[in-house]
Amino acid sequence: MTAHRIGYARVSTRDQNLGLQIGALKKAGCDKIYEDTISGTKSHRPGLGQALDTLRDGDTLVVWKLDRLGRSVKDLLDFAGGLNNRGVGFVSLTDAIDTTTVSGRFFFNVMASLAQMERELMVERTQAGLRAAREQGRVGGRKRIMTEAKIRSARKLLNQGTPPREVATSLGISVPTLYRWVPAAGATGASTQ
């Protein structure tokens, strides 16, 4: 089975020209070239989808520049990792990335490790912030929608036979929220308050 080099080119608007990218991809030996004229923020890219469908184990996806595929490091690393899992190589011509070589795979793994470290540091900072807030007596999360006064009102209305939907509407909450704070069995028990 022959390995293929599949090219992908993208520009954001029709005013931009794909010629530079296509010329570079042909010079890099691409058998087929798929293209899109669409913003990099759009996740659905028909040309990229066709390129991915065409790629087989041992093939290589070639782009002119990394930003043709995505804008965040995490998305790019996830994308390249997905190709690697399929046995597909990845080459970015202007960024000197080639996962079909030992040094290219090393560079890719360093980038992936840096992204993983960034994610873990973000989790650590978030947990430290929440811990510090708790120590100062603050509770994290959204503001509680049901106050004690609303709960008492809800119980009173339900015990008087008001339909749950009307109770929820009058308190400005949904019926599931009403039942989360005042379970059906709890309405009667609360009438003694």
Side-chain angles (χ1 to χ4, degrees):
M1 190 168 81
T2 305
H4 296 277
R5 290 170 72 86
I6 307 296
Y8 174 68
R10 182 187 63 80
V11 291
S12 297
T13 66
R14 295 202 182 278
D15 295 335
Q16 294 176 321
N17 189 343
L18 286 165
L20 173 69
Q21 295 178 48
I22 291 173
L25 294 171
K26 284 181 180 175
K27 192 174 176 182
C30 292
D31 306 313
K32 295 178 186 174
I33 298 172
Y34 296 91
E35 54 192 67
D36 280 320
T37 302
I38 194 167
S39 168
T41 60
K42 305 289 182 190
S43 61
H44 177 70
R45 300 182 206 162
L48 181 59
Q50 290 174 333
L52 292 174
D53 289 344
T54 304
L55 290 164
R56 301 288 178 254
D57 188 9
D59 291 347
T60 302
L61 177 67
V62 183
V63 297
W64 179 66
K65 195 168 185 172
L66 273 178
D67 66 0
R68 302 300 86 198
L69 290 174
R71 295 188 183 246
S72 78
V73 173
K74 180 191 176 306
D75 290 344
L76 290 171
L77 290 172
D78 289 346
F79 180 83
L83 292 177
N84 187 48
N85 291 341
R86 294 173 52 191
V88 173
F90 174 68
V91 171
S92 175
L93 297 174
T94 59
D95 300 302
I97 295 173
D98 183 352
T99 64
T100 63
T101 66
V102 173
S103 61
R105 281 190 298 277
F106 172 76
F107 178 75
F108 174 79
N109 287 331
V110 168
M111 293 290 289
S113 296
L114 288 173
Q116 179 66 30
M117 185 178 81
E118 181 183 339
R119 284 190 293 268
E120 289 176 1
L121 286 174
M122 190 182 324
V123 169
E124 278 183 14
R125 285 192 298 266
T126 301
Q127 290 175 344
L130 290 171
R131 198 172 27 254
R134 274 193 299 271
E135 288 172 4
Q136 294 173 1
R138 293 183 294 181
V139 178
R142 291 186 302 175
K143 187 177 177 184
R144 204 172 132 181
I145 194 168
M146 287 293 283
T147 62
E148 288 301 320
K150 280 186 174 182
I151 293 170
R152 279 194 304 273
S153 295
R155 286 181 175 148
K156 184 176 179 183
L157 291 169
L158 289 170
N159 287 332
Q160 291 172 350
T162 307
R165 184 174 301 277
E166 285 183 33
V167 174
T169 302
S170 71
L171 295 174
I173 59 173
S174 68
V175 173
T177 299
L178 173 67
Y179 282 126
R180 191 172 323 120
W181 287 93
V182 187
T188 305
S191 63
T192 58
Q193 292 182 356

